[in-house]
């Protein structure tokens, strides 16, 4: 009898597990009505993307795109804190240190996913509630609709970890108003709430607590066209009065941003900031001085070149840059200082902008032959 009881316990345990694993999956992919719904489900990691999530989302988007019964795709995050705080940088660092393939596979998979979203034929709606940075921007900004809330925090903080604003940053950042994209990319400046709408990263602004209702209404739409979806989003957007009167946080600085960040080289930008001498300029100088000099140079060139490229060309260029960063020093040191030891004092090599040669930068942009990103 004892054996039978034990066996029953084992079976019950197993059943409990199988039910649990579904809900504890890192990404949930489900069909509700005519909508395909992607839920990023790593709340404790702020829904950061890892390779297995990317490898599940990509084919699902491709399948839904071909499916006549799927009319739109919705992506959202769980946990209430973040939509998606970025990519799983620690895992990439560990892999890169030992020359593991993950440091190639991750970027290749992520950029292919960004491209799938950018070329998706079905309306794609990202509910960017909470922290939306790096990789989280990559799985939202290239889609048709991005709904921000009062909880949204947007940033591309990669220059602080020896990387560059990838996931198509070279495409969308230089296309923001004036030199705003250059400023955001080089300083990692964070924008919140309605400001994310004002710069054009979001297309709509809705109260966080209204998102479940919005999602329900989106799912209930009968054979929704892009126009019908836009109408529904607009109706929610128009009703939202949070921070309606608030001025754009960078309004008073836009003139300075446009002139200071229009220089052709990082050294020139630094010189302009020093010459300007205003509190705003000095604050930006202080921030830039903390960033990886190599990252700053790669980023400025990435944005200048990306301004006239297609999304596909940008992603191919960024893949080359990602692999150059994997071979370098600063990415490993930056992640150590910011995410692992958290001492916030990375020792960059080279330590000064003047020591990052044009020749070195040129090499980072060189084609990789057979290893280039194929889209």
């Amino acid at each position: 009898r004892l054996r039978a009881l034990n066996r029953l316990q084992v079976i019950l345990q197993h059943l409990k597990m199988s039910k649990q694993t579904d809900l504890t999956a890192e990404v949930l992919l489900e069909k509700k009505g005519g909508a395909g719904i992607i839920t990023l489900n790593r709340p404790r990691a702020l829904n950061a993307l890892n390779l297995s999530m990317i490898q599940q989302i990509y084919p699902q988007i491709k399948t839904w795109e071909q499916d006549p019964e799927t009319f739109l795709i919705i992506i959202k995050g769980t946990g209430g804190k973040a939509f998606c705080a970025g990519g799983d940088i620690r895992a990439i660092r560990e892999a890169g240190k030992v020359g593991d393939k993950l440091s190639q596979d991750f970027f290749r998979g992520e950029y292919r996913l960004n491209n799938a979203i950018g070329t998706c034929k079905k309306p794609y709606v990202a509910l960017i509630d909470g922290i939306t940075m790096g990789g989280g921007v990559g799985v939202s900004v290239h889609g048709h609709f991005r709904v921000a809330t009062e909880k949204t925090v947007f940033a591309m903080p990669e220059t602080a970890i020896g990387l560059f604003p990838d996931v198509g940053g070279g495409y969308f950042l230089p296309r923001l108003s004036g030199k705003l994209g250059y400023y955001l990319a080089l300083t990692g400046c964070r924008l919140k709430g309605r400001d994310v709408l004002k710069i054009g990263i979001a297309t709509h602004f809705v109260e966080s607590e209204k998102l479940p209702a919005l999602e329900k209404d989106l799912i209930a739409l009968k054979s929704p066209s892009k126009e019908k979806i836009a109408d529904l989003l607009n109706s929610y957007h128009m009703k939202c009065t949070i921070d309606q009167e608030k001025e754009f946080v960078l309004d008073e600085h836009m003139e300075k941003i446009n002139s200071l960040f229009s220089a052709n080289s990082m050294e020139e930008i630094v010189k302009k900031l020093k010459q300007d001498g205003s509190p705003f300029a000095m604050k930006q100088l202080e921030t830039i001085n903390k960033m990886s000099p190599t990252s700053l140079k790669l980023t400025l060139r990435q944005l200048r070149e990306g301004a006239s490229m297609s999304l596909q060309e940008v992603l191919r260029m960024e893949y080359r840059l990602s692999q150059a960063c994997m071979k370098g020093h600063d990415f490993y040191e930056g992640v150590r200082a910011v995410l692992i030891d958290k001492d916030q004092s990375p020792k960059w090599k080279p330590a000064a902008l003047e020591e990052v040669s044009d020749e070195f930068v040129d090499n980072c942009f060189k084609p990789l032959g057979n290893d280039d990103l194929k889209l």
Side-chain angles (χ1 to χ4, degrees):
R1 245 188 86 189
L2 201 68
R3 275 232 312 268
L5 197 68
N6 278 346
R7 219 170 52 224
L8 186 65
Q9 276 178 327
V10 168
I11 291 167
L12 283 173
Q13 187 59 34
H14 184 74
L15 281 171
K16 206 165 116 193
M17 292 251 313
S18 65
K19 199 170 164 190
Q20 231 176 4
T21 44
D22 199 8
L23 289 176
T24 54
E26 297 174 319
V27 58
L28 309 173
L29 303 161
E30 52 193 331
K31 187 84 190 297
K32 285 187 187 170
I37 300 174
I38 303 163
T39 308
L40 308 176
N41 191 34
R42 293 180 74 204
R44 290 176 68 178
L46 299 177
N47 299 324
L49 290 174
N50 59 28
L51 185 58
S52 88
M53 291 162 81
I54 289 165
Q55 286 170 338
Q56 291 172 71
I57 298 168
Y58 177 84
Q60 187 62 76
I61 286 179
K62 290 294 185 193
T63 304
W64 280 334
E65 200 174 11
Q66 299 306 316
D67 174 25
E69 298 299 302
T70 304
F71 300 106
L72 80 152
I73 296 170
I74 298 170
I75 186 168
K76 59 181 182 169
T78 53
K81 268 190 172 169
F83 163 64
C84 170
D88 199 343
I89 295 295
R90 282 173 192 235
I92 301 163
R93 178 184 189 264
E94 291 318 302
K97 276 169 74 173
V98 294
D100 183 291
K101 241 165 84 278
L102 176 71
S103 54
Q104 295 160 11
D105 296 347
F106 179 86
F107 291 104
R108 192 175 277 136
E110 185 178 30
Y111 298 173
R112 282 180 69 206
L113 175 57
N114 300 149
N115 185 54
I117 293 165
T119 55
C120 188
K121 291 179 184 68
K122 299 281 163 87
Y124 183 95
V125 183
L127 305 176
I128 55 171
D129 189 30
I131 299 165
T132 305
M133 296 183 185
V137 181
V139 292
S140 55
V141 77
H142 304 296
H144 305 101
F145 303 107
R146 288 89 62 190
V147 182
T149 74
E150 72 280 8
K151 290 189 191 165
T152 305
V153 183
F154 161 88
M156 294 299 281
E158 288 79 6
T159 54
I161 54 162
L163 212 52
F164 57 95
D166 62 338
V167 298
Y171 182 78
F172 70 83
L173 288 163
R175 284 166 173 78
L176 299 180
S177 152
K179 291 293 170 186
L180 190 55
Y182 291 78
Y183 165 71
L184 295 171
L186 297 168
T187 64
C189 167
R190 295 178 172 206
L191 292 176
K192 295 182 178 139
R194 219 177 256 272
D195 288 337
V196 181
L197 171 81
K198 287 181 180 157
I199 63 168
I201 292 292
T203 55
H204 295 81
F205 187 78
V206 172
E207 269 157 272
S208 180
E209 58 177 39
K210 295 278 198 301
L211 289 183
L214 171 62
E215 191 185 326
K216 227 168 120 180
D217 286 347
L218 281 167
I219 293 165
L221 283 174
K222 292 279 167 274
S223 65
S225 59
K226 215 186 269 184
E227 289 69 37
K228 276 190 196 167
I229 292 166
D231 287 345
L232 178 61
L233 292 172
N234 289 338
S235 74
Y236 270 83
H237 174 81
M238 298 309 284
K239 285 185 202 131
C240 181
T241 56
I242 295 176
D243 292 338
Q244 222 171 11
E245 307 304 314
K246 233 170 96 181
E247 251 189 47
F248 175 45
V249 69
L250 293 172
D251 245 355
E252 53 177 319
H253 305 301
M254 274 317 293
E255 217 174 300
K256 275 200 193 310
I257 287 171
N258 290 338
S259 71
L260 296 169
F261 288 86
S262 63
N264 298 333
S265 71
M266 268 322 296
E267 288 88 342
E268 239 182 290
I269 290 176
V270 167
K271 198 171 126 191
K272 281 183 141 188
L273 288 166
K274 282 179 180 160
Q275 282 171 347
D276 182 278
S278 66
F280 176 76
M282 292 331 301
K283 199 173 152 214
Q284 306 323 311
L285 187 62
E286 194 187 328
T287 301
I288 282 172
N289 282 336
K290 289 182 187 145
M291 304 305 188
S292 153
T294 302
S295 289
L296 290 168
K297 287 211 166 173
L298 293 181
T299 298
L300 184 60
R301 171 140 167 210
Q302 169 206 0
L303 267 54
R304 288 172 60 89
E305 300 211 352
S308 57
M309 286 178 167
S310 68
L311 176 60
Q312 289 70 35
E313 289 167 333
V314 164
L315 291 167
R316 269 194 287 274
M317 163 178 75
E318 291 180 356
Y319 182 72
R320 294 166 187 171
L321 292 180
S322 77
Q323 296 313 294
C325 289
M326 292 304 106
K327 290 189 184 82
H329 163 273
D330 281 6
F331 169 69
Y332 302 97
E333 175 58 12
V335 177
R336 178 205 66 73
V338 175
L339 294 176
I340 295 169
D341 299 339
K342 298 187 176 163
D343 57 28
Q344 310 300 334
S345 52
K347 306 277 176 284
W348 305 123
K349 280 185 199 162
L353 285 168
E354 294 69 35
E355 294 166 28
V356 184
S357 71
D358 291 345
E359 188 188 5
F360 172 82
V361 174
D362 288 343
N363 277 332
C364 295
F365 283 82
K366 282 204 174 123
L368 300 172
N370 284 338
D371 290 333
D372 257 332
L373 178 68
K374 292 159 192 70
L375 292 170

